[in-house]
Amino acid sequence: EAQVTQNPRYLITVTGKKLTVTCSQNMNHEYMSWYRQDPGLGLRQIYYSMNVEVTDKGDVPEGYKVSRKEKRNFPLILESPSPNQTSLYFCASRFSSINPGPWAYEQYFGPGTRLTVT
Amino acid sequence: AQTVTQSQPEMSVQEAETVTLSCTYDTSESDYYLFWYKQPPSRQMILVIRQEAYKQQNATENRFSVNFQKAAKSFSLKISDSQLGDAAMYFCAYRSASEGANNLFFGTGTRLTVIP
C-alpha cells in the first residue's frame, strides 16, 4: 500500500529535550516536506527536500532541522524543543513535476504527529 | 508569497442539502494548481479535488465540484447531497506549477458541520 508513515503519532516532552520525528514513504517520491498545523493558521511548511541530500527552508524553519540521506526517509529534528513548537506535524511527499501524469500534482500526507512541549 | 484566504471559519449544512465553501487566493503567476483537502477528526489530510489553472473546465469528483474563476482568483467548493461523513475541516491550497515549486500554501480552513 502506497503511504507516508510518521512516528511517533503522539509525543509529550519537556523543554530542551532533543527529539526526532521520523517520516518514511514507499512511493519513490523525490519531494518530501514537513508542515505544522496550528489553529487559525492552517498548515505552514517547515522544510522541504527536492531529493537526497537536497533540503531547503520553508516558511517557518526556526528551531527545526532535517536531513535526507535516503530517498524514502525525511526525519524532522527538534534540537531544543520549546513550548511554541507544540503543534500537529505532517510529513508529505510527491513526485517531481517533471514526472508525467496527473499523480505528479498530488501530495500524499502522513497521519500526523501531535507534539506537546511542556 | 502566495496567500490563500478562507473567509468562513465555520459552516453548517443540513444533511442531503448543498453547501459551498469559499476560497480566494493571491498570485502573480499564470500556471498553478489548486486543491481542496478534507481533514476529518482522524486528522488525516485527504485530497478531495484539484484544479489545474490552465483548464477552464471546473473539476468534479462525484458530489464535489469547484467553481474556478481565474480572473477573480476564486476557487469555491460545492458539496452536493451532503452526508454526515462530510463533516470535517476543509482546507483550500495553492501550489505553483513552476519546476521546483514544492510548497503548498494553505488557507486557515473552514469547519463544516452536517446537521442530521
Side-chain angles (χ1 to χ4, degrees), chain A residues 8-81:
Chain A
R9 296 288 310 279
Y10 301 89
L11 179 59
I12 301 174
T13 189
V14 296
T15 299
K17 186 176 181 182
K18 181 179 178 180
L19 66 91
T20 299
V21 183
T22 64
C23 172
S24 183
Q25 50 92 8
N26 62 1
M27 296 167 279
N28 202 35
H29 286 165
E30 292 87 8
Y31 283 135
M32 297 187 74
S33 303
W34 276 102
Y35 293 86
R36 61 177 289 174
Q37 181 182 356
D38 302 292
L41 296 177
L43 283 78
R44 294 174 294 167
Q45 192 181 58
I46 302 170
Y47 267 95
Y48 66 93
S49 169
M50 296 172 64
N51 215 320
V52 176
E53 302 292 0
V54 182
T55 63
D56 207 348
K57 297 177 181 179
D59 296 323
V60 287
E62 293 77 20
Y64 305 94
K65 286 176 57 177
V66 293
S67 68
R68 186 93 181 272
K69 294 182 170 58
E70 303 166 286
K71 196 172 186 178
R72 63 183 293 127
N73 296 323
F74 190 45
L76 180 69
I77 303 158
L78 284 72
E79 294 267 357
S80 182

Side-chain angles (χ1 to χ4, degrees), chain B residues 32-45:
Chain B
Y32 48 86
Y33 310 117
L34 296 164
F35 306 86
W36 278 98
Y37 281 90
K38 171 185 178 181
Q39 187 180 46
S42 67
R43 304 197 312 251
Q44 180 71 44
M45 295 292 287

Side-chain angles (χ1 to χ4, degrees), chain B residues 40-102:
Chain B
S42 67
R43 304 197 312 251
Q44 180 71 44
M45 295 292 287
I46 302 166
L47 180 64
V48 174
I49 198 166
R50 66 169 184 257
Q51 175 81 41
E52 292 91 338
Y54 65 86
K55 289 186 177 179
Q56 292 187 335
Q57 187 174 5
N58 288 324
T60 62
E61 288 286 343
N62 301 314
R63 297 182 295 107
F64 298 87
S65 61
V66 299
N67 183 4
F68 173 48
Q69 301 288 329
K70 191 172 185 179
K73 297 179 183 175
S74 171
F75 183 61
S76 61
L77 174 70
K78 185 172 83 171
I79 306 174
S80 304
D81 185 25
S82 296
Q83 301 175 358
L84 295 178
D86 295 333
M89 181 74 88
Y90 286 83
F91 291 97
C92 178
Y94 166 104
R95 181 167 71 81
S96 167
S98 299
E99 174 60 31
N102 182 49

